[in-house]
Amino acid sequence: MTATDTVASSITGVQAGIVVTPAVASILVVSGIPNSYVAGVARSVTVTAKGLIRQHRNRIPGTVQFSSSDPQAKLLSLHLHRR
């Protein structure tokens, strides 16, 4: 890894053997939910996994499940898209 001072670019440092392991997701952000729905019309939502400082994460510990209090709701299988 090489680090360079952002003010004095002549100041640099190099260190070998640094391993960076990304953290797992800690926040799930749900988007695409309108203020109202029309009954019987299918809708899609997006769930984005993010880390503590809001960066995208591909590692999710466990399973994400959707549920509804509406007895007529039909929740289809999950589609996972990784960035």
Side-chain angles (χ1 to χ4, degrees):
M1 172 180 255
T2 302
T4 304
D5 188 293
T6 59
V7 176
S9 61
S10 62
I11 301 173
T12 62
V14 177
Q15 176 65 49
I18 295 175
V19 177
V20 177
T21 304
V24 296
S26 57
I27 299 168
L28 296 175
V29 179
V30 181
S31 59
I33 300 174
N35 290 334
S36 62
Y37 279 98
V38 175
V41 176
R43 297 290 306 197
S44 294
V45 297
T46 299
V47 178
T48 305
K50 296 194 174 198
L52 287 175
I53 57 173
R54 302 290 196 260
Q55 72 279 32
H56 284 87
R57 290 288 180 224
N58 289 332
R59 295 173 54 207
I60 300 174
T63 303
V64 176
Q65 282 188 303
F66 293 98
S67 63
S68 174
S69 59
D70 182 348
Q72 294 182 330
K74 294 180 182 175
L75 303 174
L76 302 178
S77 60
L78 297 176
H79 170 73
L80 297 177
H81 173 73
R82 296 185 183 251
R83 289 182 149 231

